């Protein structure tokens, strides 16, 4: 599933100002729930990725960090995160070298700490 992206600077600012924050080794996670009246009108999640020269490095490193975080978010958000969220991931230098499995554990831990994981207790397994 392709995630919808945040593209406007004001959206990034809104998520960081009004959302909740979790900091990991390879990225900082900001998340903000949508207002109830807009929940049925938009895609399940909107994702914003940021990699600054100061935190990550040159253009090649920033692009690689964003690609890794985008792949990670696509894998994990589609199966495990609650719907109706704006999520911003800010890459750190460790996003370049940290094993993908550990990045996944970090994102799951951040979602769990912010109480953004789907409620799996109501799902019945046949």
């Amino acid at each position: 599933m392709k995630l919808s992206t945040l593209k406007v600077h004001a959206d990034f600012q809104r998520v960081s100002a009004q959302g909740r924050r979790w900091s990991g080794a390879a990225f900082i996670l900001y998340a903000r729930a949508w207002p109830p009246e807009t929940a049925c009108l938009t895609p399940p999640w909107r994702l914003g990725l940021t990699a600054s020269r100061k935190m990550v490095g040159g253009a090649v490193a920033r692009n690689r960090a964003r690609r890794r975080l985008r792949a990670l978010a696509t894998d994990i958000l589609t199966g495990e995160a609650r719907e109706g969220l704006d999520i911003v991931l800010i890459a750190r230098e460790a996003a370049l070298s940290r094993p993908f499995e550990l990045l996944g554990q970090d994102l799951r831990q951040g979602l769990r700490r912010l109480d953004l994981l789907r409620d799996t207790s109501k799902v019945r397994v046949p």
Side-chain angles (χ1 to χ4, degrees):
M1 167 190 253
K2 183 175 170 83
L3 297 175
S4 180
T5 58
L6 296 173
K7 295 179 183 170
V8 180
H9 182 70
D11 289 338
F12 282 84
Q13 292 291 337
R14 190 176 306 111
V15 174
S16 66
Q18 299 173 359
R20 299 175 64 200
R21 177 183 190 268
W22 180 83
S23 182
F27 56 85
I28 301 169
L29 166 68
Y30 285 97
R32 176 181 174 264
W34 297 332
E37 63 273 7
T38 62
C40 64
L41 302 175
T42 55
W45 308 271
R46 293 191 310 170
L47 178 67
L49 298 170
T50 302
S52 70
R53 187 178 332 161
K54 180 180 176 183
M55 291 182 76
V56 179
V60 173
R62 292 193 313 268
N63 289 336
R64 182 168 189 256
R66 279 194 296 265
R67 279 194 310 270
R68 293 189 85 207
L69 292 179
R70 186 178 303 113
L72 175 74
T74 302
D75 289 347
I76 293 179
L77 293 180
T78 54
E80 300 179 30
R82 270 190 356 225
E83 295 184 354
L85 298 171
D86 284 340
I87 295 175
V88 173
L89 295 175
I90 301 174
R92 291 182 166 172
E93 189 175 3
L96 297 170
S97 59
R98 194 159 172 88
F100 201 73
E101 296 79 27
L102 293 179
L103 286 174
Q105 290 174 7
D106 290 346
L107 183 55
R108 285 183 186 93
Q109 181 182 6
L111 292 171
R112 189 177 313 109
R113 291 266 174 101
L114 298 178
D115 195 30
L116 301 175
L117 290 174
R118 281 190 184 149
D119 185 12
T120 57
S121 63
K122 297 177 184 175
V123 177
R124 290 187 170 189
V125 178

